[in-house]
Amino acid sequence: MNTQATPSPQFYLTAPATCPYLPNQMERKVFTHLVGPRASEMNDLLTQGGFRRSQNIAYRPACENCRACVSVRILTEQFQPTKSMRRVLSINRDVVATVHAAEPSTEQFSLFRRYLDHRHQSGGMSDMSALDYAIMVEDTHVNTRIIEYRVREPGSGIDSSKRGELLAVALSDVMSDGLSMVYSFFNPDLEKRSLGTFMIMDHITRTRALGLPHVYLGYWVDGSEKMGYKTRYHPQEHLTPRGWEVYTPSGEAGDKV
């Protein structure tokens, strides 16, 4: 009989650093490595416990004086798009989404750099090279996919070699209870398309088709304007000290689930 204990993940704590979301705050993170045959299982459990994945690392905030970062997940079966969201779907009815293995391309990186240079010039990812991007996509031991969003070309349904302009890209993990949006980016010049909103709604549709209940959006940071969009998709749950609870726009949690 094999009595060898299953190795448990080792957790580490980062040194304090300047918070990228809130002024006059310092951040710390607790993290572990997602490697080996149990990586997907651990990614599921840790994501459900408020962690996020970056390459082969799972992390969550462990700040000493702040609890503003809150894990958010959309309840896909009950989700109903707003009027403005339905308008986004209509505007993007000419967009085709294709799922690929987690493999980078020059075309993706070109769009990625365009997005960073327009949206995140001073962010922590602003100086990422093509190699850095490739590592971000490929360095995964879990079930990760790249979704490319392109303009539908005439005849593309017959001839798969016809590929329209690449508008947006999502890097997502397929988990036992849904999809986790690890990172996404899009053409910043196409503001009227609201491609960020479109990708989230596409993930809701895909998750619902898989018969799974959740789309994980990462952290909502109360007080950070650039994170405000994450609370637009209802119903959604926030991870609180009491567990996952339905969030209401008033800022109060609803019934515990």
Side-chain angles (χ1 to χ4, degrees):
M1 182 175 65
N2 185 3
T3 59
Q4 184 176 358
T6 301
S8 299
Q10 300 296 307
F11 291 89
Y12 308 90
L13 189 64
T14 65
T18 301
C19 176
Y21 302 113
L22 299 177
N24 305 316
Q25 294 286 352
M26 301 296 288
E27 71 166 2
R28 299 189 79 177
K29 296 176 182 176
V30 60
F31 70 94
T32 189
H33 295 277
L34 287 173
V35 295
R38 297 181 62 225
S40 289
E41 176 188 350
M42 289 304 303
N43 188 45
D44 282 11
L45 292 173
L46 291 173
T47 301
Q48 292 160 9
F51 281 71
R52 291 290 286 167
R53 185 183 71 80
S54 177
Q55 299 173 35
N56 65 1
I57 297 291
Y59 69 91
R60 69 172 296 174
C63 306
E64 296 176 1
N65 302 309
C66 180
R67 296 293 183 269
C69 292
V70 178
S71 293
V72 175
R73 67 186 187 187
I74 302 168
L75 299 175
T76 59
E77 284 302 320
Q78 299 96 319
F79 172 77
Q80 293 293 331
T82 63
K83 183 177 179 180
S84 64
M85 291 175 185
R86 290 194 296 270
R87 186 162 52 246
V88 170
L89 290 174
S90 178
I91 292 171
N92 290 288
R93 60 187 178 274
D94 62 336
V95 175
V96 176
T98 307
V99 181
H100 302 277
E103 297 175 353
S105 71
T106 302
E107 187 181 21
Q108 291 170 14
F109 176 69
S110 178
L111 182 62
F112 176 70
R113 279 280 10 138
R114 190 173 177 183
Y115 173 80
L116 290 183
D117 293 343
H118 188 276
R119 291 290 190 100
H120 302 285
Q121 293 181 354
S122 58
M125 303 173 73
S126 60
D127 60 350
M128 285 181 64
S129 66
L131 178 58
D132 295 327
Y133 174 75
I135 292 172
M136 181 179 79
V137 173
E138 293 179 327
D139 194 2
T140 174
H141 293 253
V142 303
N143 188 6
T144 304
R145 294 290 181 265
I146 280 275
I147 306 177
E148 293 186 345
Y149 298 85
R150 297 178 179 273
V151 174
R152 180 185 290 108
E153 285 288 293
S156 59
I158 301 173
D159 184 357
S160 60
S161 67
K162 292 185 177 180
R163 304 203 308 168
E165 177 189 357
L166 182 63
L167 305 181
V169 174
L171 181 68
S172 302
D173 290 343
V174 182
M175 306 197 315
S176 61
D177 69 333
L179 298 179
S180 176
M181 298 185 70
V182 177
Y183 195 78
S184 60
F185 53 94
F186 51 85
N187 186 335
D189 297 330
L190 303 178
E191 186 174 349
K192 290 184 178 180
R193 282 187 177 270
S194 298
L195 289 164
T197 298
F198 178 70
M199 283 190 285
I200 291 174
M201 288 194 292
D202 179 66
H203 276 70
I204 293 172
T205 300
R206 291 176 181 277
T207 304
R208 187 181 288 168
L210 291 170
L212 300 176
H214 305 124
V215 170
Y216 288 84
L217 293 183
Y219 299 118
W220 168 62
V221 183
D222 192 9
S224 174
E225 183 177 351
K226 64 182 178 180
M227 289 292 187
Y229 73 92
K230 295 188 178 183
T231 59
R232 296 177 55 222
Y233 304 88
H234 297 284
Q236 64 178 235
E237 293 177 330
H238 289 191
L239 185 58
T240 77
R242 298 173 297 277
W244 287 99
E245 296 186 333
V246 176
Y247 169 81
T248 59
S250 64
E252 298 178 355
D255 295 334
K256 183 173 180 181
V257 177

